[in-house]
Structure formats: structure tokens, C-alpha cells
Amino acid sequence: MRFKSKLIFVFLFSFCIAGLHAQSAEFMSQLLESKRVTYGQACYFTALYKGSIPESVSQQEAFDFINKTGYVYKDSVTADDFVTMADLSYLIVKAFNVKGGIMYSLFPSPRYALRLLESDGLVAQFTDPQGKIKGDDFIALFIRCLEYYDEAGAQ
């Protein structure tokens, strides 16, 4: 029961932070049910959070926009590819404008972005960098980062 109430809270909180409406409600439902998050979904959610795109754009358009900003590390991925934990960490660190530690500052890469989230206690230690992430876990991670980095002022 506790997990169900957390999931409902995450779902409702997500609507509030992104100013989501009808089309986005459908997107959120699909995202929550996703066994694996795609780059398109992650970029769409991130761009909506940042207020960079209107919610009427497609996931492909959101991916293209986020990719042009440099938030997607790999050039060889598409909006339909599944995002890895390391690449998602890079996207989140860039989206929240986190300065990071020495290694991330010297070598801004998905590897050190994931290590940064680990050291900040936002993901479990020794998380598989190539592991895929489920939709509800993505939203929970995004909310943890929102709370942590907004409170800390994007360290």
C-alpha cells in the first residue's frame, strides 16, 4: 500500500512541476507504465520541466531540441533508443545545471554524472551505468533531483 501511495504522489507531483495538461497526462500514463524509458521520453519530460518546449511537440522534436543543447552525450542515439542510467544522469545533471565535483568538472561525461548522483545520494551506489530505467523510477529520480538540487542551489 505504501508503494501505491508513493506512486500516486509522484504522479500528481509530476503534473504540478511540469504544468501538464491533457496531452501530457497521456504521456505521463505511458511513461509511468514504461518498462524502459526512451531518450524521447526523457528529453520530452526534461524539456517540459525546463519550460523549453510547448507540450504540443512530439517526443522526437523534444529529443532534437535537447540534443542541440548538448544535454544528450551520444550523437549515435535516436529518440526511440532506451536511455541508460549513465546517459540519463548526464541529461539530469545538465538540465539542473549542476556544477559537480572535480572529476565531472574536468571530464563532463555520463560516467562522472552518474558518480555525482551516487555521491549526492540520489541513486544507489554501484548502479549499473548501462542499466535501463523504468518510467516510475525515472520520475522518482527526477523528483529527488528536483528536491535536492533546488534546495542546494545546483551545487
Side-chain angles (χ1 to χ4, degrees), residues 42 89 97 112 125:
S89 299
N97 205 22
Y112 292 114
Q125 293 288 322

Side-chain angles (χ1 to χ4, degrees), residues 10-45:
V10 167
F11 186 75
L12 293 175
F13 185 74
S14 298
F15 280 124
C16 296
I17 66 168
L20 302 172
H21 301 295
Q23 179 184 348
S24 296
E26 182 180 329
F27 166 76
M28 287 300 294
S29 296
Q30 291 172 349
L31 182 59
L32 282 169
E33 294 170 2
S34 295
K35 299 279 188 228
R36 293 181 175 170
V37 175
T38 65
Y39 280 90
Q41 290 171 319
C43 290
Y44 182 82
F45 190 84

Side-chain angles (χ1 to χ4, degrees), residues 10-142:
V10 167
F11 186 75
L12 293 175
F13 185 74
S14 298
F15 280 124
C16 296
I17 66 168
L20 302 172
H21 301 295
Q23 179 184 348
S24 296
E26 182 180 329
F27 166 76
M28 287 300 294
S29 296
Q30 291 172 349
L31 182 59
L32 282 169
E33 294 170 2
S34 295
K35 299 279 188 228
R36 293 181 175 170
V37 175
T38 65
Y39 280 90
Q41 290 171 319
C43 290
Y44 182 82
F45 190 84
T46 303
L48 274 180
Y49 160 72
K50 293 189 65 64
S52 303
I53 60 168
E55 62 184 81
S56 59
V57 302
S58 68
Q59 290 180 27
Q60 180 64 50
E61 292 169 318
F63 172 79
D64 292 340
F65 175 79
I66 291 291
N67 198 14
K68 286 177 188 169
T69 63
Y71 291 11
V72 177
Y73 189 73
K74 298 176 184 170
D75 290 331
S76 61
V77 297
T78 67
D80 295 327
D81 291 335
F82 297 119
V83 68
T84 64
M85 270 304 296
D87 289 340
L88 180 61
S89 299
Y90 185 80
L91 173 69
I92 288 174
V93 166
K94 294 293 256 182
F96 284 98
N97 205 22
V98 180
K99 292 172 185 51
I102 293 172
M103 293 306 290
Y104 181 78
S105 298
L106 293 174
F107 307 104
S109 66
R111 171 191 172 97
Y112 292 114
L114 179 58
R115 298 263 174 138
L116 176 62
L117 295 184
E118 287 175 352
S119 69
D120 288 342
L122 300 171
V123 296
Q125 293 288 322
F126 308 113
T127 298
D128 180 9
Q130 298 306 312
K132 307 300 186 212
I133 187 165
K134 296 186 307 182
D136 56 346
D137 292 335
F138 164 68
I139 293 172
L141 173 60
F142 202 90

Side-chain angles (χ1 to χ4, degrees), residues 119-122 143-155:
S119 69
D120 288 342
L122 300 171
I143 290 172
R144 283 193 305 271
C145 291
L146 177 68
E147 291 171 347
Y148 184 83
Y149 292 123
D150 274 358
E151 260 183 36
Q155 303 175 347

